[in-house]
Amino acid sequence: MKKNIVIYVMILLVALLNSSCILFPEEEHDDKTKTGKNIYDAWNEGMQCVFTQYAEIVLNFDYWYTAPESLKLSIEDSLFADFKIRQLGPETWNLLAGNEIRYTIHTHGGSVSAVNTVWEITCYPAQIEKNDCHYQYSSFNEGLATLTVKCLAPNQWNFMMKEEQNPASFINLTVASLNTNMNGSDFSVAGTGRFRYNNFGCCENTSQYVFIDFTIEELLILQHAGAWKLGEVTLRAFNTQNKESFVNASFLYPGNHNYQVDIHYNGLTESYNYSCGGPH
């Protein structure tokens, strides 16, 4: 039963990370906080890219890794339809797309749902399609990057990654399930990081990379449909010409797959409403 709960939690996490949210089209603002809203949208897109390109792969692979041999082929066909799983060596596996290696995963002999187990997943970014995400998100896509995943406690993981750039993108996130009784699907997210983008114009008059530092000030709660339910994050967008902008985003969740983001930028606060996987 305990193993089934862990698997259920992983499936829910993968489901929420695959969800997308859109801004209500009928909303109108007077552009006083538009730059702040754009910075928030870019950060949110970066978070989704990290999870879908790395965390989802890890959790899906653990589901395959711990499954009985009789089920592995069907799980591979279902969760890894675009890949083939091939063992490279003892507790080391490659995910292949055609003849190209897309990921290498080191399991160190245990499930990543077991406390104190550490996995590494290395992505080969030169072979990943560029601009899959909006804002030309670039972090961890232009140099070899390895994500380290450690199980801190039942249903709780630490995700750490740093790329070899200057300034370097990095993440240090703790993700935990809040519903081990299987009656819900909310997760908490804490930590810090920095994302890098190509040609994202939140800082004016630059064609160089733009970076967004983030610090989660109050624990973020992520609902299964992809909505941020509670919490607060501080964002600092900057470029190599020392131009910077600061944004604070806090979240409310009225329900019905909708959530509200209060954007505080340049001394002003405006609210934006997003819909995630449900009716507007």
Side-chain angles (χ1 to χ4, degrees):
M1 181 62 180
K2 181 177 179 180
K3 182 177 179 180
N4 290 338
I5 291 175
V6 171
I7 291 174
Y8 180 83
V9 167
M10 287 183 168
I11 292 173
L12 288 174
L13 179 57
V14 170
L16 71 87
L17 295 177
N18 275 324
S19 301
S20 60
C21 303
I22 59 173
L23 186 70
F24 279 170
E26 64 270 20
E27 278 199 324
E28 294 183 2
H29 292 79
D30 57 10
D31 292 341
K32 292 180 180 179
T33 60
K34 181 179 179 180
T35 296
K37 182 261 183 189
N38 288 342
I39 292 170
Y40 162 76
D41 284 341
W43 167 81
N44 186 53
E45 192 77 17
M47 291 286 280
Q48 297 299 324
C49 287
V50 166
F51 286 125
T52 55
Q53 292 181 10
Y54 292 90
E56 176 186 342
I57 298 294
V58 168
L59 298 180
N60 279 346
F61 189 83
D62 189 61
Y63 187 35
W64 174 89
Y65 180 79
T66 57
E69 289 296 328
S70 60
L71 297 179
K72 284 191 173 182
L73 183 59
S74 62
I75 293 173
E76 180 177 347
D77 290 341
S78 176
L79 297 182
F80 294 98
D82 297 328
F83 302 108
K84 291 298 181 183
I85 300 173
R86 296 292 183 265
Q87 188 163 11
L88 181 63
E91 302 304 331
T92 302
W93 309 80
N94 283 338
L95 301 185
L96 303 178
N99 294 323
E100 296 181 348
I101 300 174
R102 293 295 182 91
Y103 295 93
T104 297
I105 300 174
H106 302 276
T107 63
H108 301 289
S111 168
V112 79
S113 62
V115 176
N116 292 325
T117 299
V118 177
W119 281 18
E120 292 93 28
I121 174 172
T122 299
C123 177
Y124 298 87
Q127 299 156 349
I128 289 182
E129 295 82 0
K130 298 300 179 67
N131 300 331
D132 284 344
C133 302
H134 303 305
Y135 311 105
Q136 298 187 10
Y137 172 77
S138 303
S139 290
F140 317 118
N141 280 354
E142 296 182 349
L144 198 65
T146 297
L147 174 72
T148 299
V149 182
K150 181 177 181 179
C151 184
L152 303 176
N155 307 320
Q156 184 181 63
W157 299 271
N158 176 246
F159 296 90
M160 293 187 64
M161 178 161 50
K162 183 176 180 179
E163 66 176 357
E164 297 300 324
Q165 299 280 346
N166 186 22
S169 295
F170 72 94
I171 58 170
N172 186 355
L173 300 174
T174 298
V175 178
S177 167
L178 302 180
N179 302 287
T180 57
N181 61 3
M182 300 174 68
N183 289 329
S185 54
D186 292 353
F187 290 81
S188 67
V189 183
T192 61
R194 175 184 298 141
F195 295 140
R196 176 167 50 85
Y197 305 81
N198 284 328
N199 302 321
F200 173 57
C202 66
C203 297
E204 293 78 6
N205 302 319
T206 177
S207 61
Q208 298 197 21
Y209 294 138
V210 170
F211 303 87
I212 298 179
D213 283 342
F214 69 89
T215 300
I216 297 174
E217 305 288 356
E218 296 182 8
L219 197 66
L220 299 180
I221 306 299
L222 188 59
Q223 194 256 359
H224 74 279
W228 297 107
K229 293 180 66 173
L230 293 170
E232 181 180 341
V233 61
T234 297
L235 310 174
R236 170 182 171 257
F238 66 98
N239 62 19
T240 55
Q241 286 77 44
N242 297 318
K243 293 184 178 180
E244 60 184 10
S245 297
F246 293 89
V247 179
N248 179 273
S250 56
F251 304 95
L252 294 174
Y253 183 70
N256 297 322
H257 303 289
N258 305 325
Y259 76 99
Q260 175 181 306
V261 184
D262 291 337
I263 299 294
H264 184 76
Y265 172 75
N266 200 25
L268 300 172
T269 299
E270 287 187 309
S271 298
Y272 296 81
N273 293 294
Y274 290 77
S275 176
C276 299
H280 293 175

